[in-house]
Amino acid sequence: MEIKPKKILVRHAKESTSTAPNGDSWINYWEKKTLLPIPKKCACCGKISNDMVGAHVIDEEGNLYIYPVCRECNSRYKYTKPDIPFEVRMDELVPVPNQN
């Protein structure tokens, strides 16, 4: 019997930071932490894209993570109320580190 990874609903985080640790990009940070290839399909809109970015997303408990989405979705929801939830694999979420 195959065990399927747990999925949860997340939403885009409003007005999140744009610089990853050590001046890296958030998508590179996500890739290094998960050791997974950057997906081509956006979990938010379902479209295929070669322009994926590391988006800040929040779960229902308010925890902040990085998850890959297309640049279009990230730009659309970055400064608006994050109303549209989308489903992601929990094991592909990367917690945002404290940047004190």
Side-chain angles (χ1 to χ4, degrees):
M1 182 168 101
E2 182 182 342
I3 298 174
K4 293 185 179 182
K6 183 177 179 185
K7 292 189 175 185
I8 65 169
L9 289 176
V10 296
R11 300 170 188 266
H12 287 272
K14 187 176 178 186
E15 298 179 16
S16 53
T17 61
S18 59
T19 304
N22 302 318
D24 204 356
S25 70
W26 284 114
I27 193 69
N28 288 341
Y29 180 79
W30 178 88
E31 189 175 30
K32 288 174 187 173
K33 291 294 184 181
T34 63
L35 302 176
L36 296 170
I38 297 169
K40 299 290 183 192
K41 184 176 181 181
C42 178
C44 182
C45 69
K47 294 178 184 174
I48 302 298
S49 175
N50 288 321
D51 193 13
M52 301 293 277
V53 298
H56 288 76
V57 297
I58 55 173
D59 64 14
E60 292 178 349
E61 296 174 3
N63 299 307
L64 187 61
Y65 300 97
I66 299 299
Y67 193 83
V69 300
C70 70
R71 187 173 302 277
E72 185 178 339
C73 284
N74 191 54
S75 296
R76 178 181 301 135
Y77 299 112
K78 190 172 187 174
Y79 298 109
T80 62
K81 187 176 178 185
D83 280 338
I84 302 180
F86 55 99
E87 193 175 62
V88 300
R89 284 180 41 170
M90 191 170 181
D91 62 338
E92 293 179 353
L93 290 169
V94 174
V96 174
N98 284 336
Q99 295 183 318
N100 297 332

Short mmCIF file of all heavy atoms in Angstrom, two decimals, residues 8-65:
data_model
loop_
_atom_site.label_atom_id
_atom_site.label_comp_id
_atom_site.label_asym_id
_atom_site.label_seq_id
_atom_site.Cartn_x
_atom_site.Cartn_y
_atom_site.Cartn_z
N ILE A 8 -2.17 20.10 2.49
CA ILE A 8 -2.87 21.11 3.29
C ILE A 8 -3.20 22.30 2.40
O ILE A 8 -2.61 22.49 1.34
CB ILE A 8 -2.06 21.56 4.51
CG1 ILE A 8 -0.77 22.27 4.10
CG2 ILE A 8 -1.75 20.38 5.43
CD1 ILE A 8 -0.07 22.96 5.26
N LEU A 9 -4.11 23.13 2.89
CA LEU A 9 -4.45 24.37 2.18
C LEU A 9 -3.57 25.50 2.69
O LEU A 9 -3.35 25.63 3.90
CB LEU A 9 -5.92 24.73 2.40
CG LEU A 9 -6.94 23.84 1.71
CD1 LEU A 9 -8.36 24.26 2.10
CD2 LEU A 9 -6.78 23.89 0.20
N VAL A 10 -3.07 26.29 1.77
CA VAL A 10 -2.30 27.49 2.10
C VAL A 10 -2.87 28.66 1.30
O VAL A 10 -3.62 28.47 0.36
CB VAL A 10 -0.79 27.32 1.80
CG1 VAL A 10 -0.17 26.24 2.66
CG2 VAL A 10 -0.54 27.05 0.32
N ARG A 11 -2.48 29.85 1.69
CA ARG A 11 -2.85 31.09 1.00
C ARG A 11 -1.59 31.94 0.86
O ARG A 11 -0.65 31.79 1.63
CB ARG A 11 -3.88 31.89 1.79
CG ARG A 11 -5.17 31.16 2.04
CD ARG A 11 -6.03 31.93 3.05
NE ARG A 11 -7.19 31.16 3.44
CZ ARG A 11 -8.38 31.26 2.86
NH1 ARG A 11 -8.55 32.11 1.89
NH2 ARG A 11 -9.39 30.52 3.27
N HIS A 12 -1.60 32.82 -0.10
CA HIS A 12 -0.47 33.74 -0.24
C HIS A 12 -0.41 34.65 0.98
O HIS A 12 -1.45 35.10 1.47
CB HIS A 12 -0.62 34.60 -1.50
CG HIS A 12 -0.37 33.83 -2.76
ND1 HIS A 12 0.88 33.70 -3.30
CD2 HIS A 12 -1.21 33.13 -3.55
CE1 HIS A 12 0.81 32.97 -4.39
NE2 HIS A 12 -0.45 32.61 -4.57
N ALA A 13 0.79 34.91 1.46
CA ALA A 13 0.99 35.83 2.58
C ALA A 13 1.06 37.24 2.02
O ALA A 13 1.71 37.48 1.00
CB ALA A 13 2.27 35.49 3.33
N LYS A 14 0.40 38.16 2.67
CA LYS A 14 0.36 39.54 2.21
C LYS A 14 1.63 40.28 2.60
O LYS A 14 2.10 40.16 3.73
CB LYS A 14 -0.87 40.24 2.79
CG LYS A 14 -1.09 41.62 2.25
CD LYS A 14 -2.37 42.22 2.80
CE LYS A 14 -2.55 43.63 2.28
NZ LYS A 14 -3.70 44.28 2.89
N GLU A 15 2.18 41.04 1.64
CA GLU A 15 3.33 41.93 1.86
C GLU A 15 4.48 41.24 2.58
O GLU A 15 4.93 41.66 3.64
CB GLU A 15 2.88 43.17 2.63
CG GLU A 15 1.86 43.99 1.88
CD GLU A 15 1.39 45.21 2.64
OE1 GLU A 15 2.04 45.62 3.62
OE2 GLU A 15 0.37 45.78 2.23
N SER A 16 4.97 40.18 2.00
CA SER A 16 6.07 39.43 2.60
C SER A 16 7.42 39.97 2.13
O SER A 16 7.51 40.76 1.20
CB SER A 16 5.93 37.95 2.24
OG SER A 16 5.79 37.80 0.86
N THR A 17 8.48 39.52 2.78
CA THR A 17 9.82 39.99 2.45
C THR A 17 10.28 39.46 1.10
O THR A 17 9.84 38.42 0.65
CB THR A 17 10.84 39.55 3.52
OG1 THR A 17 10.85 38.13 3.56
CG2 THR A 17 10.49 40.12 4.88
N SER A 18 11.19 40.19 0.48
CA SER A 18 11.61 39.80 -0.87
C SER A 18 13.03 39.22 -0.91
O SER A 18 13.43 38.71 -1.94
CB SER A 18 11.51 40.99 -1.81
OG SER A 18 12.32 42.04 -1.34
N THR A 19 13.78 39.29 0.17
CA THR A 19 15.15 38.82 0.16
C THR A 19 15.32 37.58 1.04
O THR A 19 15.00 37.60 2.21
CB THR A 19 16.12 39.92 0.65
OG1 THR A 19 15.93 41.08 -0.15
CG2 THR A 19 17.56 39.46 0.53
N ALA A 20 15.82 36.52 0.44
CA ALA A 20 16.05 35.28 1.18
C ALA A 20 17.36 35.39 1.96
O ALA A 20 18.15 36.32 1.74
CB ALA A 20 16.11 34.11 0.19
N PRO A 21 17.61 34.44 2.87
CA PRO A 21 18.87 34.47 3.61
C PRO A 21 20.09 34.49 2.69
O PRO A 21 20.08 33.89 1.62
CB PRO A 21 18.83 33.15 4.41
CG PRO A 21 17.38 32.85 4.55
CD PRO A 21 16.75 33.35 3.27
N ASN A 22 21.12 35.19 3.12
CA ASN A 22 22.38 35.31 2.38
C ASN A 22 22.22 35.94 1.00
O ASN A 22 23.01 35.68 0.10
CB ASN A 22 23.08 33.95 2.27
CG ASN A 22 23.35 33.33 3.62
OD1 ASN A 22 23.76 34.02 4.55
ND2 ASN A 22 23.08 32.05 3.75
N GLY A 23 21.16 36.74 0.81
CA GLY A 23 20.96 37.42 -0.47
C GLY A 23 20.51 36.52 -1.60
O GLY A 23 20.52 36.92 -2.76
N ASP A 24 20.14 35.29 -1.30
CA ASP A 24 19.70 34.33 -2.30
C ASP A 24 18.25 34.63 -2.70
O ASP A 24 17.58 35.44 -2.09
CB ASP A 24 19.81 32.92 -1.72
CG ASP A 24 19.95 31.84 -2.77
OD1 ASP A 24 19.90 32.16 -3.97
OD2 ASP A 24 20.13 30.67 -2.39
N SER A 25 17.76 33.95 -3.72
CA SER A 25 16.34 34.07 -4.07
C SER A 25 15.56 33.03 -3.27
O SER A 25 16.10 32.00 -2.85
CB SER A 25 16.13 33.83 -5.57
OG SER A 25 16.35 32.48 -5.89
N TRP A 26 14.28 33.29 -3.06
CA TRP A 26 13.46 32.36 -2.29
C TRP A 26 13.27 31.03 -3.03
O TRP A 26 13.19 29.97 -2.41
CB TRP A 26 12.11 32.97 -1.94
CG TRP A 26 12.22 33.96 -0.83
CD1 TRP A 26 11.99 35.31 -0.90
CD2 TRP A 26 12.57 33.70 0.53
NE1 TRP A 26 12.19 35.89 0.33
CE2 TRP A 26 12.54 34.93 1.23
CE3 TRP A 26 12.91 32.55 1.23
CZ2 TRP A 26 12.84 35.03 2.59
CZ3 TRP A 26 13.21 32.65 2.59
CH2 TRP A 26 13.17 33.87 3.25
N ILE A 27 13.22 31.05 -4.36
CA ILE A 27 13.05 29.79 -5.09
C ILE A 27 14.31 28.92 -4.96
O ILE A 27 14.22 27.71 -4.80
CB ILE A 27 12.65 30.01 -6.57
CG1 ILE A 27 12.16 28.69 -7.21
CG2 ILE A 27 13.77 30.61 -7.39
CD1 ILE A 27 10.86 28.18 -6.69
N ASN A 28 15.49 29.55 -4.98
CA ASN A 28 16.73 28.79 -4.77
C ASN A 28 16.80 28.27 -3.34
O ASN A 28 17.27 27.15 -3.10
CB ASN A 28 17.95 29.64 -5.07
CG ASN A 28 18.13 29.90 -6.55
OD1 ASN A 28 17.58 29.18 -7.39
ND2 ASN A 28 18.87 30.94 -6.88
N TYR A 29 16.35 29.07 -2.39
CA TYR A 29 16.30 28.66 -0.99
C TYR A 29 15.40 27.43 -0.85
O TYR A 29 15.77 26.44 -0.22
CB TYR A 29 15.79 29.81 -0.13
CG TYR A 29 15.69 29.49 1.34
CD1 TYR A 29 16.82 29.52 2.15
CD2 TYR A 29 14.47 29.20 1.93
CE1 TYR A 29 16.73 29.23 3.51
CE2 TYR A 29 14.37 28.90 3.27
CZ TYR A 29 15.51 28.93 4.06
OH TYR A 29 15.42 28.64 5.40
N TRP A 30 14.22 27.46 -1.48
CA TRP A 30 13.29 26.33 -1.43
C TRP A 30 13.94 25.08 -2.03
O TRP A 30 13.87 23.99 -1.46
CB TRP A 30 12.00 26.68 -2.18
CG TRP A 30 11.02 25.56 -2.21
CD1 TRP A 30 10.06 25.29 -1.28
CD2 TRP A 30 10.91 24.53 -3.21
NE1 TRP A 30 9.36 24.15 -1.63
CE2 TRP A 30 9.86 23.67 -2.82
CE3 TRP A 30 11.59 24.26 -4.38
CZ2 TRP A 30 9.49 22.56 -3.57
CZ3 TRP A 30 11.22 23.15 -5.14
CH2 TRP A 30 10.18 22.32 -4.72
N GLU A 31 14.58 25.25 -3.20
CA GLU A 31 15.19 24.12 -3.89
C GLU A 31 16.31 23.50 -3.05
O GLU A 31 16.41 22.27 -2.95
CB GLU A 31 15.72 24.58 -5.24
CG GLU A 31 16.17 23.46 -6.13
CD GLU A 31 16.59 23.95 -7.51
OE1 GLU A 31 17.07 25.09 -7.64
OE2 GLU A 31 16.45 23.17 -8.45
N LYS A 32 17.12 24.32 -2.41
CA LYS A 32 18.22 23.81 -1.56
C LYS A 32 17.68 23.08 -0.33
O LYS A 32 18.26 22.08 0.10
CB LYS A 32 19.12 24.96 -1.13
CG LYS A 32 19.98 25.50 -2.25
CD LYS A 32 20.74 26.72 -1.79
CE LYS A 32 21.47 27.37 -2.96
NZ LYS A 32 22.09 28.65 -2.60
N LYS A 33 16.61 23.59 0.24
CA LYS A 33 16.06 22.97 1.46
C LYS A 33 15.30 21.68 1.17
O LYS A 33 15.34 20.75 1.97
CB LYS A 33 15.13 23.95 2.20
CG LYS A 33 15.86 25.12 2.82
CD LYS A 33 16.75 24.65 3.93
CE LYS A 33 17.42 25.80 4.64
NZ LYS A 33 18.31 25.36 5.70
N THR A 34 14.61 21.61 0.05
CA THR A 34 13.81 20.41 -0.25
C THR A 34 14.59 19.37 -1.06
O THR A 34 14.20 18.20 -1.08
CB THR A 34 12.55 20.76 -1.06
OG1 THR A 34 12.93 21.31 -2.33
CG2 THR A 34 11.65 21.71 -0.29
N LEU A 35 15.63 19.81 -1.76
CA LEU A 35 16.39 18.96 -2.68
C LEU A 35 15.50 18.43 -3.81
O LEU A 35 15.76 17.37 -4.38
CB LEU A 35 17.07 17.81 -1.94
CG LEU A 35 18.02 18.21 -0.82
CD1 LEU A 35 18.56 16.98 -0.11
CD2 LEU A 35 19.15 19.08 -1.35
N LEU A 36 14.45 19.18 -4.13
CA LEU A 36 13.54 18.82 -5.21
C LEU A 36 13.74 19.76 -6.39
O LEU A 36 14.15 20.91 -6.21
CB LEU A 36 12.08 18.95 -4.73
CG LEU A 36 11.65 18.01 -3.62
CD1 LEU A 36 10.27 18.42 -3.09
CD2 LEU A 36 11.63 16.58 -4.12
N PRO A 37 13.43 19.30 -7.60
CA PRO A 37 13.49 20.21 -8.74
C PRO A 37 12.34 21.22 -8.65
O PRO A 37 11.28 20.91 -8.10
CB PRO A 37 13.33 19.29 -9.95
CG PRO A 37 12.63 18.09 -9.43
CD PRO A 37 13.05 17.94 -7.99
N ILE A 38 12.57 22.39 -9.19
CA ILE A 38 11.52 23.41 -9.21
C ILE A 38 10.41 22.92 -10.14
O ILE A 38 10.67 22.56 -11.29
CB ILE A 38 12.08 24.76 -9.69
CG1 ILE A 38 13.14 25.25 -8.70
CG2 ILE A 38 10.96 25.79 -9.85
CD1 ILE A 38 13.95 26.44 -9.18
N PRO A 39 9.17 22.87 -9.65
CA PRO A 39 8.09 22.37 -10.49
C PRO A 39 7.79 23.31 -11.65
O PRO A 39 8.10 24.50 -11.61
CB PRO A 39 6.90 22.29 -9.54
CG PRO A 39 7.21 23.23 -8.44
CD PRO A 39 8.71 23.27 -8.33
N LYS A 40 7.19 22.77 -12.67
CA LYS A 40 6.77 23.56 -13.84
C LYS A 40 5.30 23.94 -13.76
O LYS A 40 4.86 24.83 -14.45
CB LYS A 40 7.03 22.79 -15.14
CG LYS A 40 8.48 22.46 -15.38
CD LYS A 40 9.27 23.69 -15.68
CE LYS A 40 10.72 23.32 -15.99
NZ LYS A 40 11.58 24.47 -16.01
N LYS A 41 4.54 23.22 -12.92
CA LYS A 41 3.11 23.49 -12.79
C LYS A 41 2.86 24.27 -11.51
O LYS A 41 3.26 23.86 -10.42
CB LYS A 41 2.32 22.19 -12.77
CG LYS A 41 0.82 22.39 -12.74
CD LYS A 41 0.09 21.07 -12.80
CE LYS A 41 -1.41 21.30 -12.78
NZ LYS A 41 -2.14 20.02 -12.82
N CYS A 42 2.17 25.39 -11.64
CA CYS A 42 1.85 26.25 -10.50
C CYS A 42 0.71 25.61 -9.69
O CYS A 42 -0.35 25.32 -10.24
CB CYS A 42 1.45 27.64 -10.99
SG CYS A 42 0.97 28.76 -9.67
N ALA A 43 0.93 25.42 -8.40
CA ALA A 43 -0.09 24.85 -7.52
C ALA A 43 -1.24 25.82 -7.30
O ALA A 43 -2.34 25.40 -6.97
CB ALA A 43 0.53 24.48 -6.18
N CYS A 44 -1.00 27.10 -7.51
CA CYS A 44 -2.02 28.11 -7.28
C CYS A 44 -3.02 28.19 -8.44
O CYS A 44 -4.22 28.11 -8.23
CB CYS A 44 -1.35 29.46 -7.05
SG CYS A 44 -2.49 30.82 -6.69
N CYS A 45 -2.53 28.32 -9.67
CA CYS A 45 -3.42 28.48 -10.83
C CYS A 45 -3.50 27.24 -11.71
O CYS A 45 -4.39 27.15 -12.56
CB CYS A 45 -3.00 29.69 -11.67
SG CYS A 45 -1.42 29.47 -12.55
N GLY A 46 -2.56 26.31 -11.56
CA GLY A 46 -2.58 25.09 -12.35
C GLY A 46 -1.92 25.19 -13.71
O GLY A 46 -1.85 24.22 -14.45
N LYS A 47 -1.40 26.38 -14.06
CA LYS A 47 -0.77 26.57 -15.37
C LYS A 47 0.68 26.10 -15.36
O LYS A 47 1.34 26.12 -14.32
CB LYS A 47 -0.81 28.05 -15.76
CG LYS A 47 -2.21 28.58 -16.00
CD LYS A 47 -2.15 30.05 -16.34
CE LYS A 47 -3.54 30.64 -16.48
NZ LYS A 47 -3.49 32.10 -16.67
N ILE A 48 1.17 25.71 -16.53
CA ILE A 48 2.58 25.37 -16.70
C ILE A 48 3.35 26.66 -16.90
O ILE A 48 2.93 27.54 -17.66
CB ILE A 48 2.77 24.44 -17.93
CG1 ILE A 48 1.94 23.17 -17.77
CG2 ILE A 48 4.24 24.14 -18.15
CD1 ILE A 48 2.31 22.31 -16.58
N SER A 49 4.49 26.79 -16.21
CA SER A 49 5.28 28.02 -16.28
C SER A 49 6.76 27.70 -16.15
O SER A 49 7.15 26.83 -15.38
CB SER A 49 4.88 28.99 -15.17
OG SER A 49 5.72 30.12 -15.16
N ASN A 50 7.57 28.43 -16.89
CA ASN A 50 9.02 28.36 -16.73
C ASN A 50 9.53 29.49 -15.87
O ASN A 50 10.74 29.70 -15.77
CB ASN A 50 9.71 28.40 -18.11
CG ASN A 50 9.50 27.10 -18.86
OD1 ASN A 50 9.55 26.03 -18.28
ND2 ASN A 50 9.27 27.22 -20.15
N ASP A 51 8.63 30.24 -15.25
CA ASP A 51 8.99 31.39 -14.43
C ASP A 51 8.39 31.22 -13.03
O ASP A 51 7.46 31.92 -12.65
CB ASP A 51 8.49 32.68 -15.09
CG ASP A 51 9.10 33.92 -14.47
OD1 ASP A 51 10.09 33.81 -13.71
OD2 ASP A 51 8.60 35.03 -14.74
N MET A 52 8.96 30.27 -12.29
CA MET A 52 8.48 30.00 -10.94
C MET A 52 9.31 30.79 -9.92
O MET A 52 10.50 30.99 -10.12
CB MET A 52 8.57 28.51 -10.64
CG MET A 52 7.77 27.64 -11.59
SD MET A 52 5.99 27.85 -11.44
CE MET A 52 5.68 26.77 -10.06
N VAL A 53 8.65 31.21 -8.86
CA VAL A 53 9.31 31.95 -7.78
C VAL A 53 8.95 31.30 -6.45
O VAL A 53 7.98 30.57 -6.35
CB VAL A 53 8.89 33.45 -7.78
CG1 VAL A 53 9.30 34.12 -9.07
CG2 VAL A 53 7.40 33.61 -7.53
N GLY A 54 9.73 31.60 -5.44
CA GLY A 54 9.44 31.12 -4.09
C GLY A 54 8.49 32.09 -3.41
O GLY A 54 8.89 33.18 -3.01
N ALA A 55 7.25 31.70 -3.30
CA ALA A 55 6.23 32.57 -2.70
C ALA A 55 6.12 32.34 -1.20
O ALA A 55 6.32 31.22 -0.72
CB ALA A 55 4.88 32.30 -3.35
N HIS A 56 5.79 33.39 -0.49
CA HIS A 56 5.48 33.28 0.93
C HIS A 56 4.01 32.88 1.04
O HIS A 56 3.14 33.55 0.48
CB HIS A 56 5.70 34.61 1.64
CG HIS A 56 7.13 34.97 1.79
ND1 HIS A 56 7.90 35.43 0.76
CD2 HIS A 56 7.93 34.92 2.88
CE1 HIS A 56 9.13 35.66 1.20
NE2 HIS A 56 9.17 35.35 2.49
N VAL A 57 3.76 31.76 1.72
CA VAL A 57 2.40 31.28 1.92
C VAL A 57 2.18 31.02 3.40
O VAL A 57 3.13 30.82 4.16
CB VAL A 57 2.12 30.01 1.09
CG1 VAL A 57 2.23 30.29 -0.40
CG2 VAL A 57 3.02 28.86 1.49
N ILE A 58 0.92 31.05 3.81
CA ILE A 58 0.57 30.78 5.21
C ILE A 58 -0.44 29.64 5.25
O ILE A 58 -1.27 29.50 4.36
CB ILE A 58 0.02 32.03 5.93
CG1 ILE A 58 -1.16 32.63 5.17
CG2 ILE A 58 1.10 33.06 6.14
CD1 ILE A 58 -1.86 33.76 5.90
N ASP A 59 -0.34 28.84 6.31
CA ASP A 59 -1.32 27.78 6.50
C ASP A 59 -2.45 28.31 7.37
O ASP A 59 -2.46 29.48 7.75
CB ASP A 59 -0.67 26.52 7.07
CG ASP A 59 -0.08 26.70 8.47
OD1 ASP A 59 -0.39 27.70 9.16
OD2 ASP A 59 0.69 25.82 8.89
N GLU A 60 -3.41 27.44 7.68
CA GLU A 60 -4.58 27.86 8.45
C GLU A 60 -4.22 28.27 9.89
O GLU A 60 -4.99 28.96 10.54
CB GLU A 60 -5.62 26.75 8.46
CG GLU A 60 -6.22 26.53 7.09
CD GLU A 60 -7.24 25.40 7.04
OE1 GLU A 60 -7.34 24.63 8.02
OE2 GLU A 60 -7.91 25.28 6.02
N GLU A 61 -3.05 27.86 10.36
CA GLU A 61 -2.61 28.23 11.71
C GLU A 61 -1.75 29.48 11.72
O GLU A 61 -1.27 29.90 12.76
CB GLU A 61 -1.86 27.06 12.34
CG GLU A 61 -2.74 25.84 12.53
CD GLU A 61 -1.98 24.63 13.03
OE1 GLU A 61 -0.76 24.74 13.30
OE2 GLU A 61 -2.60 23.57 13.15
N GLY A 62 -1.50 30.06 10.52
CA GLY A 62 -0.71 31.28 10.43
C GLY A 62 0.78 31.08 10.31
O GLY A 62 1.55 32.03 10.41
N ASN A 63 1.24 29.84 10.11
CA ASN A 63 2.66 29.56 9.92
C ASN A 63 3.09 30.01 8.53
O ASN A 63 2.37 29.78 7.55
CB ASN A 63 2.95 28.08 10.11
CG ASN A 63 2.60 27.61 11.50
OD1 ASN A 63 3.04 28.18 12.49
ND2 ASN A 63 1.78 26.58 11.60
N LEU A 64 4.27 30.60 8.43
CA LEU A 64 4.76 31.16 7.17
C LEU A 64 5.77 30.23 6.52
O LEU A 64 6.71 29.75 7.17
CB LEU A 64 5.42 32.52 7.45
CG LEU A 64 5.85 33.37 6.27
CD1 LEU A 64 4.68 33.75 5.39
CD2 LEU A 64 6.56 34.63 6.77
N TYR A 65 5.57 29.97 5.24
CA TYR A 65 6.41 29.04 4.47
C TYR A 65 6.78 29.64 3.12
O TYR A 65 6.16 30.59 2.66
CB TYR A 65 5.66 27.73 4.19
CG TYR A 65 5.22 26.98 5.40
CD1 TYR A 65 3.92 27.12 5.88
CD2 TYR A 65 6.08 26.11 6.06
CE1 TYR A 65 3.49 26.40 7.00
CE2 TYR A 65 5.65 25.39 7.18
CZ TYR A 65 4.36 25.55 7.63
OH TYR A 65 3.95 24.84 8.74
#
